Amino acid sequence: MRTILYVGAYRFPNKDAAAKRVLGIGMALRLAGYKVVFAGGEQGCSDKMNLFEGFEYYSMGELDHPERGIFSRFKNFVNAGAKTVSWIETYLTRNKVDAIILYNSSYVFQLKLRNICKRKGITLIGDCTEWYDPAHLPGGRYGPVAIDNYLKMNIGYKRFNGLIVISSYLRKFYEKDVKHIIIVPPLNITTFEFQPIIRSKYRTIIYAGSPGKKDNLDVVINAIHKVNTLQLKILGISRDDYVRCNPNINLSDRVIFLGRVDYDDVIREYKESDFSIIIRPNKRYAHVGFPTKLVESLSCGIPVISTNTSDIAKYIKDSENGFVLRNDSQECVEEIFKKIESFDDKQILMFKANAFRTSILFNYDLYSQKLNDFILSLL
C-alpha cells in the first residue's frame, strides 16, 4: 500500500474549512487504496499519533500562536513550517512515503519541503485553494506576507510535481508550467438525509462564515430591509463585532446575528433556512477559491444565491437550485429577494430538492478514481 503524507496549514480534523477539504481528499484517496497520514497545523494535546475516522494524524502546533508584538509575529511567519519539516525528517527515517501533499503554505515552507522531497525521491504535490488579495494581508500590499504570497503563487507552485487545485482559474493559470493538474472542489464528507423544513412567518436567508474583507454583507443586510417577508441569519460574527466594523449600518429586527457556533449548529441552522447567500466581488481571489459553504448548503438541501465567481455557475442554475447574481450590487440582491418573496411552499420545496440532488456531485467517492489516476501519473 502506497503512503501519502498530507501536511500544511489546516486544523485537523474538523476545526476549519481547510481541514474538511483535506479530510475529503484523504477519504477519496483511502477509497482508492492509499494510506493517508495527516500532519496539520492545529495545537494538539499531544505530539504523538492520534486517530480520527481511521486516519493517523499528528498535530504540529504551527498555527494560532499568541501574538505578542511585531517581532514575534515576524518570527512566527519566518519559521512557519519548521516544526512540520523537522517531524517529516524524523518520520521518513522510520516510514516509506511515496508522496507528500502540501496544503496552502508559505513560500519558505515550500522550499524546505521541496528540498526534502528531492533528496528522498518523493513526489511533491501542492493543494492550492486560495490566492489572497495583497491588500487583505498583514502589512498590506508591500509587506513580507504579501511578498511571500507572490512568490509561492508565481514561482513556488510551478515547481511542484503536480497540483490539486480548487478551481478552473487555477488550472488555467498553472497548466503551462505544471504537467499534472486535477481540479477538486470542496468535497462532501458527511451524507445528510433530505428533511426539508418550511417556516410560516418568514422566508429565511442564511449567511455562514466570517465576512472580513471577502464578502459584501452590507449589501445583503440593506436588501433585506426592502423585503418585509424575509429575515437574514448571520453565523460567524456577533452583532456587536459587526456594528463595531460597520458603525453606519442600519440593522432591523429581521437581521439576526448568532455569532460563532459549532459545526453541528451550523448544519442545523442551514436545514432550518430557505436559501443561503454568498456575495463576493468580481476580483481574482473570489475566482480562485471555491466556497465550502456552497457545498455545505447544498448538502443540507438549501438552495444558494451567489455571485458568479469561481466555478459556481457550473453547479447553481437559476430558478432550479438557486440563483446566480449578475453582480454584487444591492439592486441585484433585492431583485432575487423579491422573487423569493413570491414563492409558495411548493416552489420552495422544489428548490430544496434540486439543491440536495446537486450536492451529490461533491461526494468524495466520485473523485476517488480521478485522484488515483492523478497520483499514478506522478509516481
Side-chain angles (χ1 to χ4, degrees), residues 289-331:
F290 191 101
T292 301
K293 64 186 77 173
L294 179 141
V295 180
E296 289 179 343
S297 181
L298 294 175
S299 67
C300 293
I302 304 304
V304 179
I305 304 163
S306 177
T307 41
N308 188 13
T309 56
S310 187
D311 295 330
I312 288 173
K314 292 182 179 179
Y315 302 99
I316 302 302
K317 306 301 178 185
D318 277 346
S319 300
E320 292 184 16
N321 58 1
F323 294 95
V324 178
L325 299 166
R326 296 193 309 276
N327 55 56
D328 62 343
S329 70
Q330 182 178 327
E331 178 186 7

Side-chain angles (χ1 to χ4, degrees), residues 350-367:
M350 180 272 292
F351 270 94
K352 292 189 172 189
N354 289 340
F356 188 74
R357 280 193 287 270
T358 305
S359 72
I360 296 170
L361 299 175
F362 299 95
N363 284 358
Y364 75 86
D365 56 323
L366 295 182
Y367 283 83

Side-chain angles (χ1 to χ4, degrees), residues 99-102 110 113-114 117 122-126 160-162:
I100 296 177
I101 302 176
L102 177 58
Q110 288 182 345
L113 199 51
R114 197 158 62 88
C117 289
I122 296 171
T123 297
L124 179 60
I125 301 166
F160 280 53
N161 299 115

Side-chain angles (χ1 to χ4, degrees), residues 31-323:
L31 189 61
Y34 296 89
K35 176 183 178 181
V36 182
V37 178
F38 294 97
E42 71 280 353
Q43 302 290 326
C45 58
S46 168
D47 59 359
K48 299 188 186 317
M49 189 263 285
N50 301 277
L51 288 174
F52 179 79
E53 300 287 345
F55 288 103
E56 293 180 21
Y57 78 95
Y58 300 80
S59 296
M60 298 293 103
E62 298 271 13
L63 304 173
D64 304 324
H65 296 289
E67 305 293 359
R68 298 189 178 89
I70 294 176
F71 177 76
S72 177
R73 289 197 296 271
F74 183 74
K75 182 179 178 182
N76 289 336
F77 169 70
V78 171
N79 291 330
K83 292 180 182 178
T84 307
V85 167
S86 177
W87 176 85
I88 290 172
E89 292 274 23
T90 302
Y91 187 87
L92 292 177
T93 64
R94 304 189 302 266
N95 302 273
K96 182 180 184 301
V97 170
D98 298 281
I100 296 177
I101 302 176
L102 177 58
Y103 177 85
N104 293 347
S105 70
S106 68
Y107 180 62
V108 175
F109 194 170
Q110 288 182 345
L111 289 177
K112 291 176 181 177
L113 199 51
R114 197 158 62 88
N115 287 335
I116 291 176
C117 289
K118 190 173 182 179
R119 281 192 286 109
K120 302 287 187 178
I122 296 171
T123 297
L124 179 60
I125 301 166
D127 182 6
C128 183
T129 68
E130 301 273 5
W131 193 332
Y132 299 110
D133 188 319
H136 295 172
L137 296 171
R141 188 175 300 276
Y142 301 106
V145 182
I147 294 170
D148 179 272
N149 185 55
Y150 176 86
L151 292 172
K152 75 177 183 182
M153 300 304 294
N154 288 281
I155 298 175
Y157 279 126
K158 292 179 180 180
R159 296 178 178 176
F160 280 53
N161 299 115
L163 292 178
I164 302 169
V165 297
I166 204 167
S167 64
S168 299
Y169 184 105
L170 285 169
R171 181 179 65 181
K172 185 176 181 180
F173 182 80
Y174 287 115
E175 61 187 3
K176 292 181 181 178
D177 299 284
V178 183
K179 182 179 179 181
H180 302 283
I181 302 177
I182 182 173
I183 300 176
V184 181
L187 300 178
N188 276 330
I189 57 177
T190 305
T191 302
F192 301 108
E193 292 184 17
F194 180 54
Q195 297 176 324
I197 298 172
I198 297 293
R199 300 296 182 190
S200 57
K201 186 176 181 181
Y202 292 117
R203 298 292 184 209
T204 300
I205 312 296
I206 187 172
Y207 169 88
S210 300
K213 298 177 180 178
K214 293 194 301 182
D215 294 338
N216 191 358
L217 201 49
D218 290 7
V219 166
V220 183
I221 291 172
N222 291 332
I224 281 287
H225 293 156
K226 304 291 186 180
V227 186
N228 294 328
T229 60
L230 269 58
Q231 71 174 359
L232 174 66
K233 283 190 176 183
I234 299 171
L235 282 65
I237 188 172
S238 69
R239 188 185 188 93
D240 288 345
D241 286 344
Y242 191 79
V243 171
R244 192 176 298 115
C245 297
N246 303 272
N248 297 320
I249 194 72
N250 177 34
L251 295 174
S252 74
D253 293 338
R254 290 182 292 108
V255 178
I256 303 164
F257 289 84
L258 299 178
R260 291 185 176 275
V261 299
D262 293 335
Y263 177 69
D264 290 343
D265 293 326
V266 172
I267 297 303
R268 177 176 55 80
E269 292 294 340
Y270 266 124
K271 290 181 176 180
E272 294 183 355
S273 301
D274 296 299
F275 284 82
S276 69
I277 188 161
I278 302 164
I279 184 159
R280 293 180 177 174
N282 182 23
K283 292 187 176 181
R284 183 179 64 189
Y285 73 83
H287 290 287
V288 166
F290 191 101
T292 301
K293 64 186 77 173
L294 179 141
V295 180
E296 289 179 343
S297 181
L298 294 175
S299 67
C300 293
I302 304 304
V304 179
I305 304 163
S306 177
T307 41
N308 188 13
T309 56
S310 187
D311 295 330
I312 288 173
K314 292 182 179 179
Y315 302 99
I316 302 302
K317 306 301 178 185
D318 277 346
S319 300
E320 292 184 16
N321 58 1
F323 294 95

